[in-house]
Amino acid sequence: MINPVLSNFRVEFGENFFPDIATKKYDNFLFHKNYPFKTLRDYFYETIQEISIPGINLNTIAAVGLNNVGNFGNDFNASTVNKNYPGTSPINEIVDGITINITFRNTILNWMYCYEILYRYYNRNRTIKDFYIQLIMKDSAEIDMINFSLSDCFISTMPGLSFSYIQSFSESLTFDVSFTFNKFDVKFLIPEFNSKKVII
């Protein structure tokens, strides 16, 4: 379980990921089962185990054969030098991939819900809209420091289920779900503190 106190990392799905038409029966099931989490939203967050987000890979443009005027390096014997500059590419081409992977503890219920959301999204009569995902990183004092905001997301990859009776002991299995996004924003949330000089 991703515990904000222990991992200092919080995941938030947009409202479109938890529409009433999909969550009502799950909420009703958890309520009547007298489960510690009474809503599907809380239950779903509790099963998140691990998250991996893409990095940034800036493409470069090489300018070759520039005149050596002593500003590009220490090799003054060369008559020309090469220099690299940052390229101009759309943000989706700079980010290493357009998906994030979330690992869930397999409790069947969360697999069912992800499958239903995927099915409702790709169904001809689409009843699920794109949603956003926010990944918030905290410091050791539980202060929000970084906010990764992913917009226009949808489930793009889900694993199949596997059943086995040959395990020597019962263990909690996990499954990975890939979410594709169309916009990637990063905000640094380092707080500013009001400081006043007090003259005594």
Side-chain angles (χ1 to χ4, degrees), residues 95-107:
V95 179
D96 286 337
I98 56 172
T99 61
I100 65 167
N101 296 316
I102 299 181
T103 301
F104 296 92
R105 190 174 71 253
N106 190 1
T107 61

Side-chain angles (χ1 to χ4, degrees), residues 103-138:
T103 301
F104 296 92
R105 190 174 71 253
N106 190 1
T107 61
I108 301 299
L109 195 66
N110 55 2
W111 188 94
M112 289 171 57
Y113 186 73
C114 287
Y115 188 90
E116 180 174 351
I117 293 299
L118 185 148
Y119 180 80
R120 286 179 177 272
Y121 185 84
Y122 287 101
N123 194 17
R124 176 172 295 182
N125 297 324
R126 178 175 294 181
T127 56
I128 299 294
K129 298 179 180 179
D130 293 347
F131 50 88
Y132 68 84
I133 302 175
Q134 287 188 343
L135 313 173
I136 301 171
M137 177 66 70
K138 299 169 175 278

